[in-house]
Amino acid sequence: MSSLKNKNIIVTGASGGIGNAIVEKLYKEEANILATGTKIEKLEKLKSKFDNIKILKFDILQHEKIEEFINNATNELGGSLDCIVNNAGITKDNLTIRMNLDEWKKVIDINLTSTFLMCKYSIKKMLKNKAGKIINISSVVGHTGNVGQANYTASKAGIIAMSKSLSIEYAKKNININCISPGFISTAMTDQIDEKHKEAIIAKIPSNRLGRPEDIANAVIFLGSDQSDYINGETIHVNGGMYMG
Ligand code: NAP
């Protein structure tokens, strides 16, 4: 039997490409899922596909409401929280000399500050259970840097360092906090890249293809399960070999 069966799990960014695949894999493991995002139509579509999942529309930019969101989501799941997958994220690319403060702040606020607050209030719930798994989605460019992404790369590198600190704080409480760093994955986010640039990216990937959302979801299943109980503060690279940390 899967160790994820009946586990109460929140997935943020569930309405996006990678989030959809994470929900689908967790559903197959018979987890009890709460899927969230800002687009209700996309969440409803997910619900029609995976009948007994719960959905909750929430904009994670509302920092002052994240505690309330975690409380509501946990109640929807039945009162306790076993795992959260912090997958929501955005890009607002620009060369540094053209990047305005709003582009910088929005990406840091959504990708890093919201992830921190989601972790904070999830940990409070998990301490009651004396167990928990937190999986934060970073990015390969958080390790390598990338042109036009000073804001995004800073946010994704920040997620990794923050997760290490949290894991040192809460490992003794049986809470595992780990990251996944996807390489270039075929979703709406990478659809924005023009074909020529995409070909140049693929040329640098030893596996010779973009990743699939399911490649990331597979790593989520591992980090969410009891197979990863002794892994803490770690980052799993899922990038077809383009970067080896
Ligand atoms: P995506 O299809 O654009 O999905 C992004 C998700 O984030 C959507 O579900 C979106 O929800 C949610 N989101 C954005 N802003 C939000 C907000 N203010 N409040 C709540 N939810 C919000 O992108 P993806 O490719 O699946 O990316 C998922 C994660 O993987 C991101 O963290 C991304 O940085 C990371 N990643 C992706 C790649 C890649 O190549 N695709 C590579 C490395 C890392 P709504 O649409 O409902 O607003």
Side-chain angles (χ1 to χ4, degrees):
M1 188 179 75
S2 163
S3 66
L4 285 162
K5 186 171 176 162
N6 298 328
K7 292 285 184 197
N8 295 336
I9 304 182
I10 296 172
V11 181
T12 75
S15 46
I18 291 174
N20 264 238
I22 292 171
V23 169
E24 181 164 1
K25 290 262 177 196
L26 287 173
Y27 185 81
K28 284 185 183 148
E29 299 289 321
E30 299 179 63
N32 188 23
I33 305 160
L34 184 129
T36 180
T38 69
K39 300 203 177 79
I40 192 67
E41 328 77 63
K42 287 194 180 175
L43 294 174
E44 273 165 358
K45 205 166 157 201
L46 260 186
K47 192 165 172 54
S48 65
K49 216 165 146 194
F50 308 113
D51 50 358
N52 54 358
I53 70 166
K54 281 106 188 156
I55 55 172
L56 210 49
K57 180 183 160 179
F58 181 64
D59 183 345
I60 62 171
L61 204 47
Q62 296 176 282
H63 292 158
E64 69 293 348
K65 291 197 173 155
I66 288 185
E67 181 173 20
E68 187 187 332
F69 166 77
I70 292 290
N71 284 338
N72 291 342
T74 304
N75 287 342
E76 282 282 313
L77 286 167
S80 67
L81 182 64
D82 298 300
C83 175
I84 181 165
V85 187
N86 286 307
N87 164 69
I90 60 159
T91 53
K92 283 206 177 292
D93 297 356
N94 222 334
L95 290 176
T96 297
I97 58 169
R98 291 191 200 131
M99 186 177 286
N100 62 41
L101 195 55
D102 186 55
E103 288 167 331
W104 170 267
K105 275 191 174 161
K106 197 138 189 214
V107 171
I108 298 291
D109 280 351
I110 290 183
N111 294 4
L112 183 57
T113 309
S114 300
T115 300
F116 166 71
L117 292 169
M118 286 286 188
C119 288
K120 172 177 169 170
Y121 294 112
S122 296
I123 288 168
K124 284 187 155 190
K125 296 284 174 201
M126 290 168 180
L127 286 169
K128 289 186 186 147
N129 278 3
K130 299 190 171 61
K133 304 267 190 190
I134 296 182
I135 304 163
N136 293 327
I137 307 297
S138 179
S139 171
V140 65
V141 296
H143 304 262
T144 62
N146 200 21
V147 174
Q149 292 198 310
N151 49 1
Y152 182 75
T153 54
S155 73
K156 293 299 188 178
I159 284 178
I160 293 166
M162 176 194 76
S163 302
K164 287 180 183 174
S165 298
L166 298 186
S167 73
I168 296 167
E169 285 183 32
Y170 298 102
K172 58 180 147 323
K173 301 291 185 188
N174 204 22
I175 300 173
N176 300 67
I177 298 141
N178 291 293
C179 295
I180 296 169
S181 282
F184 287 87
I185 310 300
S186 201
T187 69
M189 193 172 269
T190 45
D191 283 349
Q192 298 167 18
I193 303 171
D194 67 72
E195 276 313 308
K196 214 169 151 204
H197 189 187
K198 225 180 247 179
E199 277 169 30
I201 290 168
I202 291 172
K204 288 188 192 146
I205 303 174
S207 296
N208 201 33
R209 65 166 174 90
L210 294 185
R212 302 181 189 105
E214 309 87 76
D215 295 322
I216 308 307
N218 286 332
V220 168
I221 297 301
F222 171 64
L223 287 178
S225 77
D226 62 9
Q227 303 290 303
S228 63
D229 280 354
Y230 200 53
I231 300 176
N232 223 327
E234 191 50 83
T235 296
I236 298 186
H237 292 276
V238 184
N239 61 32
M242 72 177 288
Y243 172 82
M244 300 166 194

